[in-house]
Structure formats: C-alpha cells, structure tokens
Amino acid sequence: MKVVFAALLAAVASNNASAFSTSSCTVTRTSSLSMSASEEDRRSFVTKSATTAAAATLATLGSASAPLPASAAASRQWRQVKVPFEDTVYDIDFDSPTHGYIVGARGSFAETNDGGATWEPRSFSNLDAEEEITYRFQVVSFNNGEGWVLGKPTLLLHTKDGGKTWERIPLSPKLPGEPTGILATGPNSAEMITSSGAVYTTENAGRNWKAQVKETIDATLNRISSSGVSGASYFTGSIVNEQRDSKGAYIAVSSRGNFFLTWEPGQDFWIPHNRGTPRRIQNMGFVRGDIKNGLWMTLNGGKVVG
C-alpha cells in the first residue's frame, strides 16, 4: 500500500468552507441645472445621507473576512504530523491500515502502529549508530509483513517479520548504475531498478537476482544511434523519476529531461520516445496506474500534459 507524499502530512477531514456573498449597492444620480434654497437643503441632506451609507457599507465590507485563496483553503484539509526527527523524509509505506514505516536522511527511520497518527524512532540492529547516520534511506516497501529498505550509499535491508529484525543484503559492486527503487512483490520476492535502467527480480530473499532487461539504457541508445529521438543518440547520462505501473511496466525520464523511455515485462530493451514539446520534462506517470491507459507529464514552467 504505497502512499506518496511531497512532504510528510496526514490527511484529515476538513470543515465545510464558509460561504461568502457580496452585497450590491445601487447609486442613483440626479442632475439639476438650477436649485432653490429648499432644494439645496434637500440636496445637502441626500449627499450627507449617501456619504454616511457608503461609509457604513465600506466598514461592513472591511470587517468581513476575505475569501481564502484556493491553495490556502486546500491546505486546511491537511495537518502536520510530528515525527521523531527533523531530517528530510523520502518515503513511506504501510503493510496494514495501521502499521507502517517512514525513512529519510541521516539514517532516519520510524514506525507507526496507529495509522500514522504517531511515530516512534527505530534503528537497525545490524548497523551501529555511527554507521547508520551516514546513510540516506530513500525507499521502503512492504508486502504482508515482509519489507525492504534501500539506502545510499548503496545499502539494501530486508525483514520477514514486520520490521522486528533486519538482514543486510549484499549487492554486487559491478551492478550497472545505482539502485534507485525496490518493491516487495511477495514472499522472499522483490523487484529492483537502477539508475541505468537495469531491472532485477529475486525470489529467494535477495540471494540471487535475475536481470529482466538485456542491456542498460545507454548501451541500447548507443547501439541504436539513429533512433530518431532527440538527445538519445550516444546517450551517457542516467534516468530519473522511474515509475512502475500496477502490472510491472516502467517509465523513466532522461536526466536532462529531453526524452523519456518505457519498458514492459517481456521486452528485451527500453524504448526511447520524443517528448513532443520544447520544454524539459520534470516528471511523468501513468493514467490510473496503467500504461495502457496513457501517460501524463509535467514540464518545465509548470505545464501539465497528458
């Protein structure tokens, strides 16, 4: 039950917004070419009365609360939840409606047993305190009590008992790219992706990993130098913002944001695509969680296309 947050906030029910209505005033103008003394007195009385009424109207409008901007009104639907550290939170996941973990910078790691209302700090028994603080835990994934935590510098931890004990999983230093994502898929099973587009799966708790893609993204693009995708030929960068849909398909953006790539289970290679706009891609995702439904992207300058 992956929950994605831009910041660690918990949603709460909001009160109905107050309705606002503005009063309308009708001003009638009269003109006269000549006035008698009595008419002048009446004119003076009307002018003073109008001035007094206008002042009262302005005072009423000034004392009324102005409608909140849409962004401010929306923010009132959220409340900040206290966590036992001040470092950046990178990921959150739950293995039940009440039990979950958050991970973050400087070894930040916390657990909740009440659906996220309160959090308690936790540590890994196989990492000493001085070592733990050097890691930035970036990804956490749980499935029926079995969980994985991915850290940087490269570190992979695995639990089979809901986080009571953790095992450090060794990863080859020859791994293409840095691990950027891990997903718990079942008992002793997980799927991992790297910054070079390598996708691996394990079915024995990380003892062995099987490659799902025949070659890395840069190898594919350098081999197909005439792919017709702007910025793809002789590519030497990495991919960012890797997203996985509910059926195992991936989408990723080149580190420069000038093109994107897709991969689906069963395909040997990643497929590059033109972005179709001169603006750089900031992020991408799947429509309703499935590549078959289409894609959306956010572009430099705040534009969203789908």
Side-chain angles (χ1 to χ4, degrees), residues 8 82-90 102-111 119-122:
L8 182 64
K82 292 183 178 180
V83 295
F85 47 79
E86 297 181 354
D87 298 286
T88 301
V89 173
Y90 285 107
I102 53 175
V103 294
R106 291 170 49 84
S108 299
F109 183 53
E111 180 183 17
W119 295 86
E120 296 294 332
R122 296 289 182 261

Side-chain angles (χ1 to χ4, degrees), residues 14 113 119 124 183 187 245:
S14 64
N113 285 291
W119 295 86
F124 298 103
L183 178 70
D245 78 356

Side-chain angles (χ1 to χ4, degrees), residues 54-131:
T57 301
L58 289 174
T60 301
L61 292 175
S63 62
S65 298
L68 291 172
S71 58
S75 67
R76 296 177 67 180
Q77 301 178 21
W78 297 80
R79 68 177 176 87
Q80 186 174 4
V81 174
K82 292 183 178 180
V83 295
F85 47 79
E86 297 181 354
D87 298 286
T88 301
V89 173
Y90 285 107
D91 201 13
I92 179 172
D93 200 20
F94 285 76
D95 62 347
S96 76
T98 58
H99 182 244
Y101 286 96
I102 53 175
V103 294
R106 291 170 49 84
S108 299
F109 183 53
E111 180 183 17
T112 180
N113 285 291
D114 55 14
T118 59
W119 295 86
E120 296 294 332
R122 296 289 182 261
S123 61
F124 298 103
S125 59
N126 52 348
L127 298 176
D128 60 50
E130 292 184 359
E131 180 185 12

Side-chain angles (χ1 to χ4, degrees), residues 170 175 239:
L175 198 68
I239 56 175

Side-chain angles (χ1 to χ4, degrees), residues 10 36 139 144 146 196 200 226 261 295 299 304:
S36 63
V139 183
N144 295 325
E146 187 166 352
S196 294
Y200 295 94
S226 57
L261 307 101
L295 306 171
L299 306 174
V304 180

Side-chain angles (χ1 to χ4, degrees), residues 215-297:
E215 60 186 13
T216 59
I217 286 176
D218 55 351
T220 298
L221 297 180
N222 292 336
R223 179 172 53 81
I224 310 174
S225 59
S226 57
S227 61
V229 177
S230 177
S233 298
Y234 305 109
F235 177 73
T236 58
S238 59
I239 56 175
V240 295
N241 299 330
E242 306 93 333
Q243 301 288 335
R244 183 186 190 273
D245 78 356
S246 58
K247 297 180 181 178
Y250 279 92
I251 187 170
V253 180
S254 71
S255 55
R256 295 182 179 180
N258 50 352
F259 66 94
F260 68 96
L261 307 101
T262 57
W263 178 82
E264 296 183 53
Q267 293 180 339
D268 292 334
F269 316 104
W270 286 78
I271 300 175
H273 306 270
N274 280 307
R275 65 183 185 267
T277 172
R279 297 188 180 188
R280 300 286 183 180
I281 303 171
Q282 298 295 316
N283 201 357
M284 294 190 69
F286 303 99
V287 176
R288 297 189 300 277
D290 192 332
I291 195 172
K292 302 299 183 184
N293 295 327
L295 306 171
W296 58 262
M297 68 172 64

